[in-house]
Amino acid sequence: YHLGVSKDYQGKGVGKMLLRKAEKELARMGIARVQLSVFKHNEAAKGFYEELGYTLRTDMDIFYRDIAN
């Protein structure tokens, strides 16, 4: 899934509210860990996630492939 906040609403608590709501719902479903993806140079997103208690992993590379026509 992808989750984002329009620039007009960034810095107003919307992202925090959405992420915390998603965490609660996932926990209710028995999910114990959340993994987020962020572009390497997106320092604002990294700081946001760290403020919310997430830890940056440096031991992984992510592979992807678009398969839609």
Side-chain angles (χ1 to χ4, degrees):
Y1 298 97
H2 291 92
L3 179 66
V5 175
S6 170
K7 288 217 184 260
D8 294 342
Y9 293 95
Q10 290 177 4
K12 297 179 180 178
V14 175
K16 181 177 181 178
M17 179 198 61
L18 288 170
L19 192 52
R20 292 298 190 218
K21 177 69 174 168
E23 290 171 342
K24 278 182 148 181
E25 184 63 19
L26 291 167
R28 186 187 69 73
M29 296 167 53
I31 305 297
R33 176 174 285 169
V34 175
Q35 181 172 311
L36 305 170
S37 298
V38 61
F39 287 107
K40 189 175 212 165
H41 300 292
N42 190 343
E43 298 301 325
K46 289 180 186 178
F48 172 71
Y49 297 140
E50 287 175 342
E51 285 177 16
L52 295 179
Y54 286 82
T55 302
L56 178 63
R57 289 185 63 165
T58 58
D59 62 335
M60 294 179 67
D61 289 321
I62 306 231
F63 290 85
Y64 74 94
R65 178 176 176 226
D66 293 328
I67 57 171
N69 292 330

